Amino acid sequence: MDKSSAGGLGGGWALVALAIILGGVGFGPYIDIPSVVIVVGGTTAVTAGQFEPADLKRVGASMKVAFNEVKVEPLSELVEKITFYATEIKKHGVMHIEQKVLEEQNPFFKEAFQLLVDGTKAETLGPLLETKLEYMNKRHNTMIGLFGNIGGTAGAMGMIGTLVGLVAMLANLSDPAAVGPAMAVALLTTMYGALIGTLFAGIIESKLAQKHAVEETACEVIIKGTSMIAAEESIGNIKMQLNSILVDSEE
């Protein structure tokens, strides 16, 4: 479990619940079915209409990525490992690393070095890996955008619900019994939209973006390293170039 994601989500909702309790009226007045229908139903419908079914099927998997602790190899260790492989290839030839490559857990790293073992030239290897990274970026950015869209849509549906409630209230000013429920819809839809957008979709969007940035940098290091190994660059130059990527990513 990703502690920061779980802590942010759980802590945020807990603080809202605490505020409601301290308000002294309980949770009852904050529960309104028409408001739920407008915000949750409307957000779901709009999102389903804006994204492809294949993307919608990945929502659950993306949430798991956001809330599960992903074991990512530190970039400094990744540079050291690439340097080690480059040294082994210089000393013993590329076939010497074949068995070690098969045991690697990082799919991108494994594929990149398998291309080296297969004898792929530098001018071919780089573009192949860049294409793979490009499609990975598209997949990730689609899901990041989906949750960003959920957050924005929830807020918009909250405003729509507010307008619906205000119209109903103004149309029934002569009937005091009807004013209260209409006002509840007007206020609670805005509240529901803000909560979903901030304490659900916003947290997931931000966490996915952060994890994607780390993975993208790691892939760039792998692409640069394997391309330089294929071009038979010196070990010192390889390490210097890879470390420069780390410095740029930390700025």
Side-chain angles (χ1 to χ4, degrees), residues 14-234:
L15 288 172
V16 172
L18 178 62
I20 291 174
I21 293 171
L22 294 177
V25 296
F27 290 97
Y30 293 91
I31 299 174
D32 185 74
I33 300 304
S35 297
V36 173
V37 171
I38 292 173
V39 177
V40 178
T43 300
T44 302
V46 171
T47 303
Q50 292 179 331
F51 289 85
E52 295 297 324
D55 297 325
L56 298 174
K57 290 179 180 178
R58 291 163 50 208
V59 167
S62 297
M63 291 177 63
K64 287 182 180 179
V65 171
F67 290 110
N68 287 340
E69 190 69 45
V70 179
K71 294 182 179 179
V72 179
E73 186 174 21
L75 294 176
S76 58
E77 293 183 13
L78 179 61
V79 170
E80 290 300 323
K81 184 161 69 171
I82 292 173
T83 304
F84 167 77
Y85 273 110
T87 303
E88 290 294 290
I89 291 172
K90 284 281 187 182
K91 290 180 177 180
H92 307 291
V94 72
M95 297 307 298
H96 182 72
I97 67 168
E98 183 176 15
Q99 186 56 44
K100 290 187 178 70
V101 168
L102 293 175
E103 296 171 359
E104 289 291 341
Q105 299 301 310
N106 183 325
F108 196 93
F109 186 99
K110 186 175 184 178
E111 183 171 346
F113 275 86
Q114 188 60 54
L115 287 172
L116 275 178
V117 171
D118 293 341
T120 308
K121 301 298 182 181
E123 59 271 18
T124 304
L125 186 147
L128 279 174
L129 295 176
E130 289 286 356
T131 299
K132 184 177 177 65
L133 177 59
E134 180 183 350
Y135 281 103
M136 184 194 80
N137 287 340
K138 287 181 179 179
R139 292 194 306 272
H140 290 185
N141 287 328
T142 296
M143 299 315 296
I144 293 169
L146 187 148
F147 282 99
N149 184 81
I150 289 175
T153 302
M157 294 307 300
M159 292 303 299
I160 291 172
T162 297
L163 295 175
V164 170
L166 288 176
V167 169
M169 184 184 70
L170 293 174
N172 292 281
L173 286 177
S174 59
D175 182 6
V179 172
M183 178 61 77
V185 172
L187 296 178
L188 290 177
T189 48
T190 299
M191 177 182 172
Y192 292 167
L195 288 174
I196 292 173
T198 304
L199 294 181
F200 173 68
I203 290 175
I204 296 175
E205 178 192 12
S206 179
K207 184 60 68 171
L208 288 177
Q210 292 173 37
K211 291 185 176 182
H212 168 68
V214 172
E215 185 174 0
E216 182 180 28
T217 302
C219 289
E220 289 173 351
V221 169
I222 293 169
I223 292 171
K224 185 70 173 178
T226 51
S227 296
M228 294 183 74
I229 292 172
E232 300 182 353
E233 296 279 353
S234 68

